[in-house]
């Protein structure tokens, strides 16, 4: 029996607001370069006001991954929460235009506005993100419909949801419903600070879920040890372990099977979305039953495409790029 969705994501529905800026501006505004910081509403409004030429795009880690999967022609759905305001309506419409069902209608009468992330892109391509979570932080188990989670072949979750108790409940419920209906569920660890905050929960999830994606810093943080020891422990506990390393080989492990995929280094125009699109390529391979190595190579091709231009979503036809590499 085929399900409605090949991949369903659950995460923060965040409008990305991007602008170019130099390091002296970041210093002046007290912005830490190259990382994601959560900001309160007041600071969010101040930074938004300080941005010169802004471009906006639907964002959020999981939603970016789903846009990549939509580009590849998979049927996708997104469980998220936006306010019925201009940014929220923009978000829902843009998701649909990218081929992803935004399954929950924008919320009317909520106090909090739609979430936004002010992203300052430096000349070297590094992104400094300042995220005001707004209404997406209210995502809870009541936003997870059995018809959506139970109709997913693969569920993809983002670690950031664990920053709020209701998000954690939404996430656990979605994983439970999906797996009970025979689907597979996995998580992206999101960032090393997120791992520090939720280490015990994430260690438990590694044992329970079907796949876990993280970069070297996230895996080291999770097990508080060096990378090879961390991956050894993860591999003994997880269904599948995926580790990306900036500019280095990608490692994928499933039971006794291991694949090491070399990365072609390219100078990024904008590093935004590299991890999100790696996940898209990997999940496309996973959803279509490819080998570990092919899944890893698909991830690398998708990541290389997105860092070659500004913005966190693919602009080229990823399937054509896969075909060119002999992957499909």
């Amino acid at each position: 029996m085929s399900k409605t969705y090949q991949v369903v994501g659950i995460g923060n529905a965040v409008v990305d607001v991007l602008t170019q800026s130099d390091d002296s501006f970041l210093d002046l505004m007290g912005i830490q370069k190259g990382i994601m910081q959560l900001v309160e509403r007041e600071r969010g409004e101040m930074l938004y006001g300080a941005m010169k030429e802004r471009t906006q795009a639907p964002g959020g880690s999981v939603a970016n991954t789903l846009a990549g999967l939509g580009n590849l022609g998979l049927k996708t759905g997104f469980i998220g929460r936006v306010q019925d305001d201009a940014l929220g309506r923009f978000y829902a419409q843009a998701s649909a235009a990218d081929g992803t069902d935004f399954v929950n209608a924008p919320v009317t009468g909520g106090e909090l506005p739609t979430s936004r992330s002010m992203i300052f892109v430096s000349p070297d391509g590094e992104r400094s993100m300042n995220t005001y979570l707004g209404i997406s932080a209210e995502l809870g188990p009541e936003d997870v419909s059995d018809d959506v989670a139970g109709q997913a072949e693969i569920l993809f979750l983002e670690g950031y949801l664990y920053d709020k108790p209701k998000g954690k409940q939404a996430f656990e419920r979605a994983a439970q419903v999906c797996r009970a209906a025979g689907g597979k569920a996995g998580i992206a660890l999101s960032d090393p600070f997120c791992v520090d905050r939720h280490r015990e929960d994430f260690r438990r999830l590694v044992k329970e879920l079907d796949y876990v994606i993280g970069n070297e810093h996230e895996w080291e943080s999770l097990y508080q040890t060096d990378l090879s020891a961390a991956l050894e422990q993860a591999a003994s506990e997880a269904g599948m372990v995926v580790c990306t390393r900036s500019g280095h080989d990608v490692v994928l492990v499933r039971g006794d099977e291991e694949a090491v995929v070399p990365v072609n280094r390219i100078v990024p125009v904008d590093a935004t979305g590299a991890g999100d699109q790696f996940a898209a390529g990997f999940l496309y391979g996973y959803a279509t039953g490819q080998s570990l190595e092919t899944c890893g190579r698909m991830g690398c091709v998708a990541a290389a495409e997105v860092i070659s231009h500004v913005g966190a979503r693919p602009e080229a036809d990823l399937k054509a790029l896969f075909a060119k590499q002999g992957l499909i």
Side-chain angles (χ1 to χ4, degrees), residues 110-169:
E111 305 263 301
L112 295 168
T114 295
S115 315
R116 67 212 59 187
S117 182
M118 279 62 69
I119 303 175
F120 298 89
V121 183
S122 309
D124 61 4
E126 274 288 344
R127 58 196 173 133
S128 308
M129 299 163 67
N130 300 265
T131 304
Y132 166 59
L133 278 180
I135 197 170
S136 75
E138 302 284 296
L139 183 77
E142 67 282 1
D143 294 306
V144 178
S145 133
D146 285 9
D147 290 348
V148 177
Q151 281 295 325
E153 289 173 22
I154 296 172
L155 185 71
F156 182 51
L157 312 149
E158 69 180 56
Y160 287 133
L161 276 186
Y162 264 67
D163 283 332
K164 290 282 193 260
K166 283 176 74 176
K168 175 178 169 175
Q169 290 163 10

Side-chain angles (χ1 to χ4, degrees), residues 34 37 75 180 191 208-209 293 316:
Q37 284 180 300
K75 292 179 295 187
D191 78 22
E208 291 175 3
L209 297 178
E293 187 187 348

Side-chain angles (χ1 to χ4, degrees), residues 30-302:
I31 295 168
Q32 247 184 298
K33 184 174 176 177
I35 69 161
M36 196 285 286
Q37 284 180 300
L38 293 177
V39 296
E40 294 303 323
R41 188 170 185 168
E42 201 175 320
R43 178 158 170 83
E45 283 169 0
M46 187 272 289
L47 290 173
Y48 186 77
M51 298 178 100
K52 294 197 171 60
E53 298 164 8
R54 295 187 284 250
T55 55
Q56 67 182 39
S61 179
V62 162
N64 290 338
T65 297
L66 293 173
L69 289 165
N71 175 298
L72 284 159
L74 294 195
K75 292 179 295 187
T76 57
F78 181 49
I79 299 169
R81 197 172 169 90
V82 295
Q83 168 63 289
D84 189 11
D85 54 17
L87 282 180
R89 289 187 291 272
F90 162 75
Y91 194 97
Q93 285 157 4
S95 294
D98 274 337
T100 295
D101 280 355
F102 191 78
V103 299
N104 298 334
V107 177
T108 50
E111 305 263 301
L112 295 168
T114 295
S115 315
R116 67 212 59 187
S117 182
M118 279 62 69
I119 303 175
F120 298 89
V121 183
S122 309
D124 61 4
E126 274 288 344
R127 58 196 173 133
S128 308
M129 299 163 67
N130 300 265
T131 304
Y132 166 59
L133 278 180
I135 197 170
S136 75
E138 302 284 296
L139 183 77
E142 67 282 1
D143 294 306
V144 178
S145 133
D146 285 9
D147 290 348
V148 177
Q151 281 295 325
E153 289 173 22
I154 296 172
L155 185 71
F156 182 51
L157 312 149
E158 69 180 56
Y160 287 133
L161 276 186
Y162 264 67
D163 283 332
K164 290 282 193 260
K166 283 176 74 176
K168 175 178 169 175
Q169 290 163 10
F171 178 118
E172 306 251 343
R173 175 173 151 68
Q176 199 181 349
V177 171
C178 170
R179 296 188 78 204
K184 295 189 182 319
I187 182 177
L189 294 173
S190 295
D191 78 22
F193 301 105
C194 185
V195 174
D196 285 339
R197 294 191 292 270
H198 308 293
R199 187 172 286 111
E200 277 184 26
D201 274 324
F202 286 176
R203 281 194 182 177
R204 173 177 56 80
L205 286 171
V206 166
K207 294 175 184 166
E208 291 175 3
L209 297 178
D210 298 289
Y211 64 93
V212 182
I213 305 172
N215 66 28
E216 55 195 315
H217 308 299
E218 291 154 6
W219 285 113
E220 286 172 349
S221 168
L222 186 64
Y223 293 108
Q224 296 172 293
T225 181
D226 64 85
L227 187 63
S228 63
L231 289 183
E232 200 173 313
Q233 185 168 349
S236 71
E237 295 180 351
M240 189 191 312
V241 170
V242 183
C243 175
T244 59
R245 296 182 289 169
S246 188
H248 293 282
D249 300 346
V250 172
V251 180
L252 302 94
V253 187
R254 177 170 51 196
D256 298 335
E257 204 185 340
E258 183 176 339
V260 178
V261 178
V263 170
N264 296 332
R265 300 189 69 159
I266 58 173
V267 178
V269 172
D270 171 13
T272 312
D276 302 338
Q277 294 314 321
F278 174 85
F282 162 77
L283 286 170
Y284 177 80
Y286 188 49
T288 55
Q290 308 298 325
S291 69
L292 276 194
E293 187 187 348
T294 301
C295 291
R297 287 179 61 195
M298 287 176 163
C300 292
V301 171

